[in-house]
């Protein structure tokens, strides 16, 4: 892998407008399970949720029809408040401080990029770090839903307090998507990391890229067509790869 690391270093050194597009694999090295792998969230058996599909448990329908079930699953499975960023998050923040990285576009909802120091992060699936009342719009802090003793947290106005996360059956946040696609369109290098590119419409946003270098860093081979063709693919944990870049 040494030659691939050196090639990636050359690409980064020669770039001034890098965009990183990442998914669940960026956070697995912090201990957060992904969704679809053997040990992923969707394959973790829990008797409390027998009879429910993971997609339903994280859907708008579940939130509206069975809010008690939704919040129990959410509190049990999506609490990342004590999770620490890993080497991938810290390296990307370092690239931003150096003026190399234009933006991070993430499908993750854990806010680990911001905890590592990244400032331009476009969360196209929302984040567990924000909550709001679905009726009046009042905002609540990151801990509110997890601290609440009520099975279904409600605002003073009576509205449902919900996470600012894009659930199944909901549209992606317009402003984040606009900024993400604009950043990708203007990048000279796009690094895709820790994602299978099988979640749409998010995966389609990489097709806005028209720059010089397309790089993939993923634990497994990314078996999807990319246009333009990838310059480089490294099949290894992304934190491990970025640690080697940061070590020299």
């Amino acid at each position: 892998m040494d030659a691939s690391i050196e090639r990636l270093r050359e690409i980064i050194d020669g770039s001034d407008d890098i965009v990183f597009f990442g998914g669940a694999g960026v956070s697995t090295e912090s201990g957060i399970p992904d969704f679809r792998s053997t040990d992923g969230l969707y394959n973790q058996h829990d008797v409390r949720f027998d009879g429910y599909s993971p997609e339903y448990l994280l859907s708008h329908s579940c939130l509206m029809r069975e809010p008690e079930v939704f919040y129990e699953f959410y509190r049990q499975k999506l609490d990342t408040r004590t999770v620490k960023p890993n080497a991938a998050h810290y390296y990307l923040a370092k690239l931003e401080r150096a003026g190399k990285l234009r933006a991070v576009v993430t499908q993750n909802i854990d806010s680990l990029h911001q905890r590592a120091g990244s400032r331009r992060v476009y969360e196209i699936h929302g984040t567990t770090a924000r909550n709001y009342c679905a009726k009046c719009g009042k905002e609540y802090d990151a801990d509110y839903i997890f601290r609440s003793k009520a099975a279904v947290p409600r605002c003073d106005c009576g509205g449902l307090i919900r996470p600012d996360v894009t659930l199944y059956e909901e549209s992606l946040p317009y402003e984040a998507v606009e900024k993400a696609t604009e950043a990708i369109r203007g990048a000279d290098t796009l690094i895709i990391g820790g994602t299978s590119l099988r979640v749409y419409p998010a995966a389609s946003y990489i097709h806005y890229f028209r720059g010089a270098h397309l790089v993939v860093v993923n634990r497994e081979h990314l078996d999807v067509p990319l246009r333009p063709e990838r310059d480089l693919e490294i099949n290894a944990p992304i934190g491990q790869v970025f640690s080697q870049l940061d070590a020299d």
Side-chain angles (χ1 to χ4, degrees):
M1 192 167 64
D2 289 346
S4 295
I5 294 292
E6 288 309 310
R7 176 57 182 147
L8 179 54
R9 191 192 312 280
E10 290 173 2
I11 291 173
I12 291 172
D13 287 346
S15 302
D16 295 310
D17 283 303
I18 301 169
V19 168
F20 178 81
F21 182 96
V26 179
S27 294
T28 52
E29 289 171 86
S30 290
I32 299 176
D34 61 14
F35 288 87
R36 293 172 174 79
S37 69
T38 303
D39 299 320
L41 184 65
Y42 287 1
N43 292 309
Q44 295 177 0
H45 180 256
D46 191 322
V47 294
R48 291 169 297 181
F49 307 112
D50 280 350
Y52 293 100
S53 72
E55 290 85 357
Y56 175 74
L57 289 165
L58 291 174
S59 71
H60 181 82
S61 291
C62 185
L63 177 64
M64 295 294 106
R65 296 173 187 168
E66 301 181 81
E68 295 87 354
V69 174
F70 174 88
Y71 283 105
E72 184 175 4
F73 184 80
Y74 181 83
R75 287 169 172 138
Q76 290 294 326
K77 304 297 185 181
L78 296 179
D79 186 359
T80 61
R81 290 174 297 164
T82 62
V83 177
K84 305 297 183 185
N86 63 54
H89 300 105
Y90 285 116
Y91 182 71
L92 290 166
K94 181 179 178 179
L95 283 183
E96 183 184 52
R97 291 193 300 271
K100 288 282 187 181
L101 186 75
R102 174 190 289 256
V104 169
V105 179
T106 181
Q107 300 172 80
N108 297 337
I109 59 175
D110 51 45
S111 293
L112 290 184
H113 287 291
Q114 290 93 327
R115 292 185 216 172
S118 289
R119 298 174 63 84
R120 291 184 298 276
V121 181
Y122 303 133
E123 297 166 308
I124 54 179
H125 289 155
T127 176
T128 60
R130 294 188 300 268
N131 305 295
Y132 67 94
C133 174
K135 183 177 181 181
C136 72
K138 181 179 177 180
E139 296 182 358
Y140 289 81
D141 66 25
D143 298 330
Y144 191 88
I145 288 176
F146 297 109
R147 287 198 316 255
S148 175
K149 298 187 185 307
V152 178
R154 292 198 176 273
C155 180
D156 294 337
C157 75
L160 198 70
I161 298 171
R162 57 159 293 171
D164 194 4
V165 170
T166 304
L167 305 175
Y168 286 101
E169 305 164 351
E170 294 182 337
S171 299
L172 272 57
Y174 176 81
E175 184 177 359
V177 168
E178 283 292 297
K179 289 181 177 179
T181 53
E182 180 182 0
I184 292 170
R185 189 182 292 112
D188 58 11
T189 293
L190 178 63
I191 302 176
I192 299 170
T195 176
S196 65
L197 290 183
R198 306 227 178 249
V199 177
Y200 283 83
S204 67
Y205 301 152
I206 65 169
H207 298 301
Y208 286 92
F209 178 65
R210 294 293 182 271
H213 300 292
L214 180 60
V215 176
V216 173
V217 182
N218 206 48
R219 190 184 293 269
E220 298 177 353
H221 172 62
L222 199 59
D223 190 22
V224 295
L226 296 174
R227 296 290 183 273
E229 295 288 344
R230 67 203 84 185
D231 293 69
L232 174 67
E233 180 167 348
I234 301 176
N235 296 133
I238 191 165
Q240 176 184 321
V241 172
F242 285 177
S243 290
Q244 291 186 54
L245 287 172
D246 201 27
D248 300 332

